[in-house]
C-alpha cells in the first residue's frame, strides 16, 4: 500500500459516528508481572489500597455521570465493577497473595480475577458468562492504571488520534472518554452487544471492527466512518473536508432532533405511526417521557427476574414491578412480554439441564410445561397490575396452535378469579410462526414481529457469534418477505402489527417498514427521536413504491442500495 494513497476498507459498525485522526497502535498484551522475593510487601499493599480506592472512586463518579446524564441501564455495567472492587473478599484475597506469595499488585489482582472469570465463563448461563468479562476487564484496568501512573501512552496523546487495537474493553472506553483527543477506535474483533460497545455508544465514541495487521501504518491519517461501515486510510484533503462537514452536520442534527420531542409521529401526508419504547428494567422509565411515546411496546420481563434476584420473585413483588410501569404511563398501554428465559438468558436460581443448543432447547413457554407455577404467578401479578392502567400481554417464541392454546388455557383459568380486560399478543420471531400466521391470528389480538430472533432462525446464524456476523442480514430478501407476509395476513384479519426488533430503531428502515404497512414501531428509547425525525418527512406513496421495489429484489446488496438511496 502506497504511503499517500487513499484506501478504503470495509468495517462493521459497533458504535456509530465519524472520527478523524492519526493512527496509534495500542499493543496487547501488557507486560507480565512476576513473583519476586525482593518485593516490598508493605509498599505493594499500600499501592494496592491506593490503586483500588482510586479506581473504585473513578468508576463511582462515572456511574453517577452516566446515571444522571446518559443512560441508567448503561450505568449498571459500571456499578457491577464498583461492587467487585469494594467486595471485602476480593480485597482479602489480593492482599494475601501479595503478603504470602510475594506477588505484585497487578499479578495478584490478575490471579484473583482470572479465577473468578474462569468459574463464571464455564457457566452454561450466558448472562453469567457475560458477567465474567467484568472480572477480566478489571484486571486490565489495574494494568492500565499502572501504565498511566508511569506516564502511559494515553496520557501523552495531544493530537486527534484514532486507536488501533486488537480488542476493546470497558476500561479502554472509559480511558478514552476522559481524553478529548481520542476520537475513535478501530479494532480487530468485537461485537455490538458487549459491555464495551454499549458504553461506547453511550459516550458517542465511534468504534468499528474491520482492521487486520499491516493495513494501517502508525501515524497514518485515518477516518472512521461509523455510519456506512468503512475505514479510510491516508484520505485526501478533499475526503477529510467531506467527512468533517458530515461530522459537523451530525452535531447540528442532534440539536435539531430535540426540537421535535413533542411533535406527533405523523408522516408528511398525514399517516399516524405509533412509536413505543423497549425497556428491560424499571430504572429505564426516567429515560422516556409519557408525552414522547405512545406506549411501552415491549417490557422484557425476564430482565426483572435476572437482576438482583436470588430466587423467583413473589407475587406481591411482581405486582409492584408491573404497577410501577403501568402507573408511569398512566392511560397509555404497557406491553409486558412474559418471562422469556433460555437461549442466551438464564436465571441463576433456576436449574435447567445443559442444553446442546440453548436457542433450540428449553426456552420461553417450553420451560413452563415443567414449571407452570412460574407462569401462573407472573400472569396473576400482571392481571392484578392491570387495575392501575392499560396492560397487554405478549407471548414469546410461538410456533404452533398447540403452544398458543397451552398459554391461553392457563390465562383463562386465572381470569376466572380476576377477569380484567386484557389484549393478548404473540411474538413472530421464527419461520414457523410466519408460515402459521393465518391460523394463529384468530387466537390473539395483535402480533409483534421480533426481527432479532427471526433473522437468526430464518438464516441459521448465531447473532452473538462474531465469526458469522456477515451472514446475519436483516436486509436479506427472505427476512423482508417474511415481514411482509405477516403484515399482509394481519391486515386481512384486522389485527394490528408492531415491529420491535433492532431494525425498528434504524431510520434507514423506517420508509420500508411504513411502505409495507407497519403502523407501530417499538425501539430503544434513544432511537425514538431520530426515527421520528425520519418519519415525519416521509410520504406514504413514496414509501409504498420503495416497498414494491424491495419485495422483488433478490440480493441483500440490492435491498441495501435501495434503502440507502431513498430520499
Amino acid at each position: 500500500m502506497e504511503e499517500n494513497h487513499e484506501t478504503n476498507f470495509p468495517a462493521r459498525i459497533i458504535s456509530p459516528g465519524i472520527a478523524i485522526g492519526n493512527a496509534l497502535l495500542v499493543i496487547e498484551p501488557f507486560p507480565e508481572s512476576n513473583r519476586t522475593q525482593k518485593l516490598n510487601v508493605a509498599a505493594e499493599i499500600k499501592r494496592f489500597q491506593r490503586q483500588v480506592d482510586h479506581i473504585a472512586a473513578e468508576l463511582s463518579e462515572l456511574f453517577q455521570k452516566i446515571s444522571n446524564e446518559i443512560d441508567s441501564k448503561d450505568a449498571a455495567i459500571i456499578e457491577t465493577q464498583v461492587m467487585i472492587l469494594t467486595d471485602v473478599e476480593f480485597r482479602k484475597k489480593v492482599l494475601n497473595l501479595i503478603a504470602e506469595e510475594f506477588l505484585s499488585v497487578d499479578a495478584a489482582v490478575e490471579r484473583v480475577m482470572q479465577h473468578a472469570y474462569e468459574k463464571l465463563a464455564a457457566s452454561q448461563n450466558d448472562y453469567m458468562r457475560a458477567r465474567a468479562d467484568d472480572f477480566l476487564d478489571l484486571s486490565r484496568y489495574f494494568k492500565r492504571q499502572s501504565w498511566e501512573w508511569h506516564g502511559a501512552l494515553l496520557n501523552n496523546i495531544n493530537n486527534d488520534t484514532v486507536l488501533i487495537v486488537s480488542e476493546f474493553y470497558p476500561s479502554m472506553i472509559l480511558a478514552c472518554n476522559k481524553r478529548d483527543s481520542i476520537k475513535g477506535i478501530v479494532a480487530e474483533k468485537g461485537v455490538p452487544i458487549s459491555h464495551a460497545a454499549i458504553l461506547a455508544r453511550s459516550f458517542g465514541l465511534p468504534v468499528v471492527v474491520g482492521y487486520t495487521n499491516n493495513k494501517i501504518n502508525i501515524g497514518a491519517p485515518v477516518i472512521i466512518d461509523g455510519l456506512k461501515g468503512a475505514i479510510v486510510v491516508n484520505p485526501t484533503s478533499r475526503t477529510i473536508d467531506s467527512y468533517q462537514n458530515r461530522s459537523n452536520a451530525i452535531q447540528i442534527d442532534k440539536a435539531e432532533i430535540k426540537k421535535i420531542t413533542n411533535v406527533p409521529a405523523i408522516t408528511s401526508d398525514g399517516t399516524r405511526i405509533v412509536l413505543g419504547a423497549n425497556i428491560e428494567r424499571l430504572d429505564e422509565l426516567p429515560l422516556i417521557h409519557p408525552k414522547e411515546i405512545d406506549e411501552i411496546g415491549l417490557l422484557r420481563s425476564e430482565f426483572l427476574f435476572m437482576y438482583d434476584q436470588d430466587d423467583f420473585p413473589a407475587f406481591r413483588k411482581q405486582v409492584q414491578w408491573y404497577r410501577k410501569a403501568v402507573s408511569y404511563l398512566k392511560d397509555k398501554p404497557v406491553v409486558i412480554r412474559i418471562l422469556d428465559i433460555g437461549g442466551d438468558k438464564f436465571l441463576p436460581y433456576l436449574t435447567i439441564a445443559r442444553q446442546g443448543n440453548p436457542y433450540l432447547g428449553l426456552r420461553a413457554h417450553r420451560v413452563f410445561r415443567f414449571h407452570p407455577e412460574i407462569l401462573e404467578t407472573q400472569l396473576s401479578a400482571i392481571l392484578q397490575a392491570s387495575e392501575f392502567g392499560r396492560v397487554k400481554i405478549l407471548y414469546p417464541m410461538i410456533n404452533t396452535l398447540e403452544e398458543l392454546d397451552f398459554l391461553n388455557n392457563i390465562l383463562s383459568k386465572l381470569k376466572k378469579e380476576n377477569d380484567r380486560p386484557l389484549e393478548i399478543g404473540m411474538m413472530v420471531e421464527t419461520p414457523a410462526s410466519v408460515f402459521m400466521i393465518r391460523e394463529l391470528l384468530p387466537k390473539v389480538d395483535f402480533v409483534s414481529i421480533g426481527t432479532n430472533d427471526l433473522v437468526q432462525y430464518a438464516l441459521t446464524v448465531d447473532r452473538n457469534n462474531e465469526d458469522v456476523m456477515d451472514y446475519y442480514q436483516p436486509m436479506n430478501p427472505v427476512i423482508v418477505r417474511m415481514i411482509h407476509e405477516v403484515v399482509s395476513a394481519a391486515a386481512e384479519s384486522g389485527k394490528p402489527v408492531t415491529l420491535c426488533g433492532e431494525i425498528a430503531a434504524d431510520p434507514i428502515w423506517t420508509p420500508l417498514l411504513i411502505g409495507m404497512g407497519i403502523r407501530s414501531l417499538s425501539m430503544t428509547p434513544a432511537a425514538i427521536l431520530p426515527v421520528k425525525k425520519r418519519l415525519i418527512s416521509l410520504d406514504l406513496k413514496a414509501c409504498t413504491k420503495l416497498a414494491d421495489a424491495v419485495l422483488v429484489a433478490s440480493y441483500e446488496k440490492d435491498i441495501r442500495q435501495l434503502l440507502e438511496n431513498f430520499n
Side-chain angles (χ1 to χ4, degrees):
M1 183 174 69
E2 297 180 13
E3 186 175 350
N4 296 320
H5 178 66
E6 178 176 303
T7 311
N8 287 262
F9 299 105
R12 190 169 74 253
I13 300 169
I14 300 296
S15 177
I18 291 174
I20 305 172
N22 295 324
L24 177 64
L25 178 65
V26 177
I27 300 174
E28 300 276 0
F30 296 97
E32 293 184 1
S33 304
N34 297 322
R35 178 188 309 183
T36 171
Q37 295 291 340
K38 297 181 180 180
L39 185 78
N40 185 329
V41 172
E44 203 68 6
I45 288 175
K46 286 184 179 179
R47 184 165 82 90
F48 168 69
Q49 292 172 333
R50 184 174 66 249
Q51 198 165 343
V52 73
D53 289 342
H54 173 81
I55 295 173
E58 188 175 69
L59 291 176
S60 295
E61 180 181 350
L62 183 65
F63 169 75
Q64 292 299 327
K65 179 180 179 180
I66 298 176
S67 297
N68 297 333
E69 300 178 12
I70 304 176
D71 193 324
S72 58
K73 178 178 67 173
D74 297 345
I77 299 169
I78 308 302
E79 186 180 28
T80 298
Q81 295 191 329
V82 173
M83 291 171 64
I84 294 171
L85 291 174
T86 55
D87 180 67
V88 175
E89 284 301 310
F90 159 69
R91 296 193 178 207
K92 182 178 178 181
K93 290 176 181 177
V94 173
L95 291 173
N96 286 343
L97 288 173
I98 294 172
E100 297 174 8
E101 298 192 27
F102 304 102
L103 294 183
S104 67
V105 170
D106 295 349
V109 169
E110 183 175 28
R111 182 181 294 186
V112 173
M113 294 299 189
Q114 185 67 28
H115 177 74
Y117 169 81
E118 290 174 354
K119 185 176 180 180
L120 289 177
S123 171
Q124 182 188 348
N125 185 326
D126 281 10
Y127 172 68
M128 298 304 288
R129 287 201 299 271
R131 292 288 295 272
D133 290 336
D134 292 321
F135 288 89
L136 204 60
D137 185 60
L138 277 173
S139 178
R140 298 186 183 101
Y141 206 126
F142 268 83
K143 291 183 178 181
R144 282 191 174 84
Q145 284 287 320
S146 296
W147 266 23
E148 291 184 359
W149 285 5
H150 293 87
L153 188 64
L154 298 185
N155 271 344
N156 295 322
I157 296 174
N158 297 314
N159 300 319
D160 290 352
T161 300
V162 171
L163 297 186
I164 313 300
V165 304
S166 58
E167 292 184 76
F168 60 97
Y169 310 102
S171 55
M172 182 184 294
I173 301 301
L174 301 180
C176 292
N177 185 57
K178 295 188 296 181
R179 296 165 177 82
D180 292 336
S181 55
I182 299 178
K183 301 302 180 182
I185 296 176
V186 175
E188 284 187 304
K189 53 185 176 180
V191 294
I193 61 170
S194 67
H195 282 174
I198 294 170
L199 284 177
R201 289 192 290 272
S202 292
F203 293 134
L205 180 72
V207 179
V208 296
V209 168
Y211 152 80
T212 57
N213 286 330
N214 303 321
K215 284 189 176 179
I216 304 178
N217 296 323
I218 304 307
V222 174
I223 296 174
I224 293 175
D225 186 338
L227 302 177
K228 292 188 175 181
I231 304 164
V232 186
V233 182
N234 293 317
T236 64
S237 57
R238 183 177 179 179
T239 300
I240 292 175
D241 289 343
S242 174
Y243 272 98
Q244 189 62 63
N245 290 336
R246 287 175 62 191
S247 180
N248 294 338
I250 290 171
Q251 297 305 316
I252 295 172
D253 194 45
K254 288 180 179 178
E256 290 297 317
I257 282 176
K258 292 182 180 180
K259 297 179 181 179
I260 65 170
T261 298
N262 296 319
V263 175
I266 301 175
T267 62
S268 62
D269 61 337
T271 304
R272 181 74 166 90
I273 307 297
V274 173
L275 293 183
N278 297 345
I279 67 171
E280 297 173 357
R281 296 169 55 132
L282 297 178
D283 57 12
E284 293 180 78
L285 290 173
L287 300 176
I288 54 178
H289 194 285
K291 292 183 179 179
E292 297 176 6
I293 63 172
D294 298 300
E295 64 180 9
I296 291 179
L298 179 63
L299 170 56
R300 299 182 173 102
S301 69
E302 60 271 12
F303 289 94
L304 300 176
F305 286 71
M306 289 167 63
Y307 292 116
D308 304 323
Q309 300 295 320
D310 54 15
D311 200 354
F312 280 101
F315 167 78
R316 289 186 179 277
K317 186 168 189 176
Q318 290 194 52
V319 172
Q320 291 174 350
W321 284 346
Y322 309 134
R323 177 179 179 178
K324 183 175 182 179
V326 170
S327 300
Y328 185 80
L329 241 62
K330 299 178 181 177
D331 60 338
K332 295 181 178 180
V334 175
V335 181
I336 302 174
R337 184 174 70 187
I338 63 172
L339 188 61
D340 182 14
I341 50 176
D344 60 349
K345 296 168 290 190
F346 285 88
L347 305 179
Y349 46 85
L350 176 63
T351 302
I352 297 179
R354 186 172 185 83
Q355 309 285 298
N357 188 331
Y359 286 97
L360 301 180
L362 284 178
R363 182 174 177 186
H365 53 78
R366 294 174 181 173
V367 176
F368 301 145
R369 293 185 180 275
F370 296 91
H371 299 281
E373 71 282 358
I374 299 174
L375 178 61
E376 291 168 356
T377 301
Q378 182 178 29
L379 289 177
S380 295
I382 294 173
L383 285 167
Q384 186 69 32
S386 67
E387 176 183 349
F388 304 96
R390 295 177 61 188
V391 175
K392 299 180 181 181
I393 293 176
L394 185 61
Y395 298 147
M397 293 303 297
I398 297 298
N399 294 297
T400 66
L401 289 167
E402 289 83 357
E403 293 170 346
L404 197 51
D405 289 341
F406 167 72
L407 297 173
N408 277 336
N409 287 339
I410 292 177
L411 180 61
S412 295
K413 292 177 183 177
L414 296 172
K415 291 188 72 173
K416 290 179 180 179
E417 300 178 2
N418 191 352
D419 189 12
R420 298 187 181 280
L422 286 175
E423 290 186 39
I424 306 301
M426 58 165 276
M427 295 285 292
V428 176
E429 46 193 343
T430 67
S433 58
V434 174
F435 285 115
M436 286 292 294
I437 190 64
R438 283 174 168 77
E439 285 83 358
L440 293 166
L441 277 167
K443 292 180 176 289
V444 296
D445 300 305
F446 67 96
V447 295
S448 187
I449 304 174
T451 51
N452 298 352
D453 272 328
L454 183 61
V455 175
Q456 175 170 251
Y457 288 120
L459 300 181
T460 61
V461 55
D462 181 355
R463 60 190 170 105
N464 295 326
N465 186 332
E466 181 186 352
D467 295 332
V468 294
M469 284 300 290
D470 288 344
Y471 298 98
Y472 186 83
Q473 301 174 341
M475 292 183 187
N476 189 290
V478 170
I479 304 304
V480 174
R481 293 174 192 179
M482 283 184 165
I483 294 172
H484 183 255
E485 171 64 15
V486 174
V487 174
S488 298
E492 293 171 10
S493 300
K495 302 290 176 71
V497 179
T498 295
L499 192 140
C500 62
E502 286 297 316
I503 67 174
D506 188 347
I508 195 173
W509 277 88
T510 308
L512 174 60
L513 298 176
I514 292 173
M516 287 196 294
I518 292 175
R519 298 294 179 263
S520 177
L521 300 169
S522 192
M523 64 205 71
T524 181
I528 291 173
L529 289 181
V531 168
K532 185 193 288 187
K533 182 177 184 294
R534 184 78 193 275
L535 187 156
I536 60 179
S537 69
L538 298 175
D539 174 79
L540 183 58
K541 289 183 179 178
C543 292
T544 303
K545 187 176 180 180
L546 170 67
D548 291 340
V550 166
L551 289 168
V552 296
S554 299
Y555 287 91
E556 189 264 357
K557 63 181 178 62
D558 294 334
I559 293 177
R560 180 176 298 278
Q561 186 174 17
L562 284 167
L563 296 188
E564 289 177 350
N565 293 340
F566 184 81
N567 295 320

